[in-house]
Amino acid sequence: MPSDLATVLSIVRDAAQRPADPGRLDQVDPRLFEAVAPVVDRWCRTWFDLTIDGTDHVPRGPALIVGNHNSGISFVEALGMGANAWVEGWGHMDEAPWHALAHDAIVDMPALGPFLIRAGAIRASHAMADAAFEAGRKILVFPGGNLEAFRSYTDRHRVTFGPHRGYARLALRHQVPIVPQVNHGGHRGLLVLRDNQDLARWSGAKRLL
């Protein structure tokens, strides 16, 4: 990790400001991981008490890592896992970068989009997933999306993927193993009373947004 704070900030600024293409696999910047991963790893373990177990079950070579999504848009669990994988060297990340399938709204955002793309995010599409597997990469996907991230607090112990099954078809097509990644505890920091899908439909917000 660069010891000079100015150097770290310069790397982060460059990653956020320089245009990046979520439709390519060669956008990952190892300098960004080296500068930021130790900080994110320490922050997640200290402030959020993040613990990670079972990393020895991640196979070598291409694989589809399927996780559940908690606590709204914070995504601390995914960031913490990625940072720890780099710092601890597990999951054979040193052989080839991992990629996370990300929604268009995320990768197309100013600053945040380019930053995440340089950290391994790619546009969520079967074409990009096909290319990543053909390149021998691992892919991280959260099929539940917002449906799961904003599930009610009473369902915090339940994995909720809804009707999304594309990840299974993707793994079967490429004959790659599915590695389950279970996140738990994120809802302690986000109290969702109910998802209000009925209100969204009644008010027209679901159609407009």
Side-chain angles (χ1 to χ4, degrees):
M1 175 183 176
S3 57
D4 183 4
L5 178 59
T7 301
V8 172
L9 294 177
S10 175
I11 293 172
V12 171
R13 190 182 308 112
D14 176 71
Q17 294 179 348
R18 189 157 42 97
D21 185 352
R24 291 170 51 185
L25 300 177
D26 61 350
Q27 306 287 281
V28 180
D29 187 353
R31 298 182 311 145
L32 182 62
F33 276 95
E34 186 178 351
V36 176
V39 177
V40 173
D41 177 59
R42 190 178 308 112
W43 171 59
C44 288
R45 287 188 291 105
T46 302
W47 184 258
F48 293 100
D49 195 25
L50 178 66
T51 58
I52 301 174
D53 299 309
T55 59
D56 54 313
H57 295 295
V58 179
R60 190 178 297 273
L64 184 63
I65 302 172
V66 180
N68 60 307
H69 193 353
N70 296 320
S71 61
I73 62 173
S74 66
F75 232 42
V76 171
E77 294 148 328
L79 293 174
M81 188 197 76
N84 187 261
W86 176 271
V87 171
E88 299 295 334
W90 58 269
H92 315 293
M93 186 180 274
D94 56 330
E95 295 181 354
W98 293 20
H99 295 283
L101 298 184
H103 194 281
D104 288 353
I106 300 298
V107 293
D108 290 338
M109 287 182 65
L112 179 61
F115 180 90
L116 293 177
I117 293 167
R118 301 201 186 287
I122 55 177
R123 195 179 299 281
S125 70
H126 279 271
M128 285 306 302
D130 291 342
F133 281 141
E134 289 168 5
R137 311 286 177 85
K138 290 181 178 66
I139 296 176
L140 177 63
V141 63
F142 295 86
N146 287 338
L147 172 69
E148 185 170 50
F150 291 97
R151 69 190 184 279
S152 70
Y153 187 77
T154 55
D155 291 331
R156 64 191 182 279
H157 302 309
R158 185 186 300 274
V159 174
T160 307
F161 287 171
H164 304 147
R165 299 291 183 270
Y167 69 93
R169 292 191 294 271
L170 179 66
L172 287 170
R173 187 164 71 247
H174 288 274
Q175 292 296 293
V176 297
I178 291 179
V179 182
Q181 178 210 342
V182 180
N183 298 308
H184 182 263
H187 272 63
R188 293 178 185 174
L190 178 73
L191 180 60
V192 179
L193 299 180
R194 58 173 299 168
D195 59 21
N196 275 323
Q197 291 193 54
D198 293 336
L199 177 61
R201 283 190 291 269
W202 175 81
S203 65
K206 181 181 175 90
R207 176 174 52 83
L208 292 173
L209 302 177

